[in-house]
Amino acid sequence: ENCSPLHFPGGKGGGSSWSIIGPAADGKSQSDGEARARVLGVVESMGTAGANYGLFRDVIGDSPIVIENKLHVRDFDLPWESAYDGLAYTGDAAHPVRPTGEGTALAFEDAVVLGRAVASYGLGVEALRAYERERYEPVRLISEKIRRAADAFYRNKGDTVGYDAK
């Protein structure tokens, strides 16, 4: 994709997590300092004249650590089932989406469906494939909805960072 999220526990005491998504940078930050500089660069690109710039700069400075992650969105045209008999993807591995809160809900749903499949089929390949079959369509629909919403948001902001809607 053409964007990178940077995640950090926000501010003094790190009582919350923040995510900022900006234009993708080549490679990946190799240190907290480099990640911190990249996230500050994204904030600066949004403008330094307003009060929000100072607030974000202070939050970034007061945060104990900043971590960069590359954002990968699942391509539902590729195989959904794991190629390995003893493996099924759950949570963000199964449905990485922009940080909107939907990923957490999807992960809890994954746990419920996987638990029911194991209860029905026992702990084995049959349960994993049943889980994957049941989760494919709801995960695809929600992921595509999030992708369209993100694309519309960035288009409305006049930004070119968003996804191409499918």
Side-chain angles (χ1 to χ4, degrees):
E1 295 295 334
N2 58 354
C3 53
S4 293
L6 294 130
H7 306 285
F8 55 101
K12 296 177 184 172
S16 63
S17 293
W18 295 51
S19 295
I20 293 181
I21 299 175
D26 289 336
K28 186 175 179 182
S29 56
Q30 299 299 308
S31 68
D32 170 72
E34 188 178 350
R36 198 174 294 274
R38 286 187 188 213
V39 75
L40 187 57
V42 170
V43 171
E44 287 173 350
S45 74
M46 293 186 269
T48 59
N52 285 338
Y53 170 72
L55 174 64
F56 274 115
R57 185 193 62 228
D58 291 347
V59 167
I60 293 164
D62 289 340
S63 297
I65 189 168
V66 177
I67 300 169
E68 177 181 10
N69 291 301
K70 297 297 181 183
L71 181 64
H72 299 280
V73 177
R74 182 169 202 109
D75 182 347
F76 286 92
D77 293 331
L78 296 176
W80 171 255
E81 291 183 352
S82 170
Y84 301 95
D85 283 343
L87 177 74
Y89 297 105
T90 63
D92 287 347
H95 38 72
V97 294
R98 286 182 177 259
T100 60
E102 294 290 343
T104 302
L106 288 169
F108 281 122
E109 291 171 7
D110 288 350
V112 169
V113 171
L114 183 56
R116 287 180 184 156
V118 169
S120 295
Y121 298 102
L123 185 57
V125 175
E126 190 176 6
L128 298 179
R129 298 299 90 91
Y131 154 79
E132 291 168 335
R133 283 190 303 275
E134 186 171 338
R135 292 302 289 149
Y136 175 79
E137 192 61 23
V139 167
R140 184 187 65 77
L141 291 172
I142 290 170
S143 297
E144 288 175 357
K145 179 180 175 185
I146 292 168
R147 184 179 295 182
R148 285 190 304 273
D151 187 59
F153 173 81
Y154 285 106
R155 258 198 321 269
N156 289 337
K157 296 286 185 187
D159 197 342
T160 59
V161 176
Y163 299 113
D164 291 328
K166 287 189 175 183

